[in-house]
Amino acid sequence: MRSTKKSSNRSPNSSPETADRIQQAAIREFAEKGFTKTTIRGIASAAEVSPGLVIHHFGSKEGLRSACDDYVFTAITEAKAANAHYSTMAMEIVFADPVMRTNIDYLMKSLLDPSEHGQRYFEHYIDLVEGYLADGFAGYTFRQSTDRRGQAATIAALALAPMMFADRIQTALGTTDVKDTLTRMAPHLLDLYLNGVLDSIPDVEADTDPNGDDQP
Amino acid sequence: MRSTKKSSNRSPNSSPETADRIQQAAIREFAEKGFTKTTIRGIASAAEVSPGLVIHHFGSKEGLRSACDDYVFTAITEAKAANAHYSTMAMEIVFADPVMRTNIDYLMKSLLDPSEHGQRYFEHYIDLVEGYLADGFAGYTFRQSTDRRGQAATIAALALAPMMFADRIQTALGTTDVKDTLTRMAPHLLDLYLNGVLDSIPDVEADTDPNGDDQP
DNA sequence: TTTAATGTTAAACATGCGTTCAACGAAGAA
DNA sequence: TTCTTCGTTGAACGCATGTTTAACATTAAA
């Protein structure tokens, strides 16, 4: 197992940073292929290390995943705090850093696997949105609802969608990369957030369903 | 391989509907666990059949997947056409049918795997939205944009989000099932589609980023 | 009745996976 | 020096997977 204490050059045969290299390689692999399709042998190969060493440092594939979850979670939280003075999540800045790009991809994969960490992050994100709803964000104020938690969950889900479907949208629109894709979407998202989607409400109709949503 | 001709009782040992049973079992398994985590043995067991027979009928796991993709795609398309007279996608009606629920879950999984069928469906969905933007939908008219394709892609992605994150939202809100979850979200989605998210625009600020979006 | 074709199964095959194990080598401790 | 610790490896183990194969039973065709 990976030693918890981190002293300098404490171990016989060098390399306490080997474990870090393995973890970074794992994050990249997980971010690209997801947890299930990623193999320990693939991670070991990417880190230029034997498969056994991966297990030796992290105990198991699940243990490695937990370590990666923790790392990515705090890395993103810290980056978010560092960029808090921007009025947006600073797409241009976040996506300029390839490491942060990988971390975000990792989180997206994490959100889809039915894992505990993914759920925790999702609820953390809802909390964030709920705070914005209550206190506003960078001068913006938000529409209010009596069911603020439900409202926050709804907005959080929609806010994650562009990143979640970035690859599919990129293929559909022929954009070159994620940044290009999000740039293309930005004005439509702004318009949507400011004014909604619908332009007019139809006259009353005899439909039995009172809901006006548009879900599949 | 599954015979293409479908005559009545043409085969020696009964059961041309066995292949259908296998396919339905496969759709359920794929919808629940996704393609990668689903095993042929699991499908065979669910269909009360030997693993070899699954291969015999569909050639390979990938072949079975293709068959399921085709089936689900046309099933959903037909159901959508049948319910076209409703002003919404008729959540109450669609989700009352467990088979349709399974089909929708299948599609969500398909949308996440980097498969060709998933991409085709996503673009088909964008087409649908684009048509609504151009011609309106059930009396509603939509906000117009010069980049209609980009607008349609953006709206399509957001419209898929509630279903995509249904499980996570359900856990976060403590709702009992998908239908309950979407019912809880419905008023917020309606408000969002009608009025957007933001209530006020802040004064001009010195931020270099003119985008007002809220992405992670 | 014989023949051929088809649906079906049980068992085996080949492969790739996560993991374990024995050994090696380098470095600090004695 | 000798001993012990520990990072590291290569090989192997056990298992689950997708697929193949040989056999069997049943039924239409001859």
Side-chain angles (χ1 to χ4, degrees):
Chain A
M1 288 292 203
R2 187 175 186 176
S3 45
T4 50
K5 294 183 182 177
K6 192 180 185 182
S7 61
S8 58
N9 251 3
R10 49 142 180 53
S11 69
N13 191 9
S14 64
S15 296
E17 65 267 6
T18 304
D20 290 335
R21 207 173 68 244
I22 294 175
Q23 181 166 323
Q24 292 305 318
I27 291 175
R28 283 194 299 271
E29 296 279 306
F30 287 151
E32 189 186 346
K33 315 188 205 174
F35 182 72
T36 308
K37 289 185 191 169
T38 296
T39 74
I40 287 205
R41 283 174 171 82
I43 294 171
S45 168
E48 292 177 311
V49 127
S50 72
L53 192 59
V54 178
I55 299 290
H56 176 255
H57 277 304
F58 297 94
S60 68
K61 189 186 178 184
E62 190 58 43
L64 175 55
R65 185 218 183 116
S66 281
C68 293
D69 277 339
D70 289 341
Y71 180 91
V72 171
F73 187 87
T74 66
I76 292 225
T77 303
E78 287 172 5
K80 215 182 278 179
N83 287 328
H85 60 286
Y86 286 95
S87 70
T88 76
M89 250 316 272
M91 185 174 76
E92 281 76 9
I93 293 178
V94 169
F95 287 97
D97 182 3
V99 174
M100 199 46 67
R101 271 290 314 281
T102 303
N103 286 344
I104 291 178
D105 286 344
Y106 182 99
L107 261 179
M108 291 297 133
K109 289 295 188 325
S110 198
L111 240 36
L112 299 178
D113 261 352
S115 71
E116 213 176 307
H117 273 89
Q119 183 67 33
R120 258 181 38 206
Y121 177 75
F122 187 70
E123 303 200 9
H124 172 81
Y125 196 70
I126 296 181
D127 294 341
L128 198 74
V129 172
E130 196 172 355
Y132 293 160
L133 292 178
D135 307 331
F137 176 63
Y140 290 92
T141 63
F142 292 82
R143 295 182 59 81
Q144 300 297 309
S145 164
T146 53
D147 176 25
R148 179 169 284 160
R149 190 69 181 167
Q151 186 191 14
T154 303
I155 294 177
L158 296 220
L160 287 170
M163 196 58 216
M164 184 64 75
F165 293 110
D167 280 350
R168 302 248 100 123
I169 299 172
Q170 178 176 328
T171 303
L173 295 183
T175 41
T176 59
D177 56 9
V178 178
K179 183 179 169 183
D180 186 27
T181 306
L182 293 184
T183 303
R184 174 87 173 269
M185 298 176 77
H188 306 114
L189 287 169
L190 178 60
D191 183 59
L192 204 155
Y193 286 162
L194 280 175
N195 306 303
V197 175
L198 301 175
D199 210 18
S200 71
I201 313 178
D203 298 338
V204 194
E205 51 173 333
D207 197 331
T208 57
D209 181 359
N211 294 321
D213 64 289
D214 199 19
Q215 295 316 116
Chain B
M1 288 290 205
R2 189 175 187 176
S3 46
T4 50
K5 294 183 182 177
K6 193 181 184 181
S7 62
S8 58
N9 249 4
R10 52 145 179 51
S11 69
N13 192 8
S14 65
S15 297
E17 67 266 6
T18 304
D20 289 335
R21 207 173 68 243
I22 293 175
Q23 181 167 323
Q24 291 306 317
I27 290 175
R28 283 194 300 271
E29 296 280 306
F30 286 152
E32 189 186 345
K33 315 188 206 175
F35 182 73
T36 309
K37 290 185 190 169
T38 295
T39 74
I40 287 206
R41 281 174 172 82
I43 294 171
S45 167
E48 292 177 310
V49 126
S50 72
L53 191 59
V54 178
I55 298 290
H56 174 254
H57 276 304
F58 297 94
S60 67
K61 189 186 179 186
E62 191 58 42
L64 176 54
R65 184 218 183 117
S66 280
C68 293
D69 277 341
D70 289 340
Y71 180 91
V72 171
F73 186 86
T74 66
I76 292 224
T77 303
E78 287 172 5
K80 214 181 277 178
N83 288 328
H85 60 287
Y86 286 95
S87 72
T88 77
M89 248 317 271
M91 186 174 76
E92 281 76 8
I93 293 177
V94 169
F95 287 97
D97 181 3
V99 174
M100 199 46 68
R101 272 289 316 280
T102 303
N103 286 344
I104 292 177
D105 285 345
Y106 182 99
L107 262 179
M108 291 299 134
K109 290 294 188 326
S110 198
L111 240 36
L112 299 177
D113 261 352
S115 71
E116 212 176 308
H117 273 89
Q119 182 68 32
R120 259 181 37 207
Y121 177 75
F122 187 70
E123 303 200 11
H124 172 81
Y125 196 70
I126 296 181
D127 294 341
L128 199 73
V129 172
E130 196 173 354
Y132 293 161
L133 292 178
D135 307 330
F137 176 63
Y140 290 92
T141 63
F142 292 81
R143 295 182 59 80
Q144 299 298 309
S145 163
T146 53
D147 176 25
R148 179 169 283 160
R149 190 69 181 169
Q151 185 191 14
T154 304
I155 293 176
L158 296 220
L160 287 171
M163 196 59 216
M164 184 64 75
F165 293 111
D167 281 349
R168 302 249 99 124
I169 298 172
Q170 178 176 328
T171 303
L173 296 182
T175 41
T176 59
D177 56 9
V178 178
K179 184 179 168 182
D180 187 27
T181 306
L182 292 185
T183 302
R184 173 87 173 270
M185 298 177 77
H188 305 114
L189 287 169
L190 177 61
D191 184 59
L192 204 154
Y193 286 163
L194 280 174
N195 306 303
V197 175
L198 300 174
D199 209 18
S200 71
I201 314 179
D203 298 336
V204 195
E205 50 175 335
D207 197 333
T208 57
D209 181 359
N211 293 322
D213 64 287
D214 197 17
Q215 297 317 115

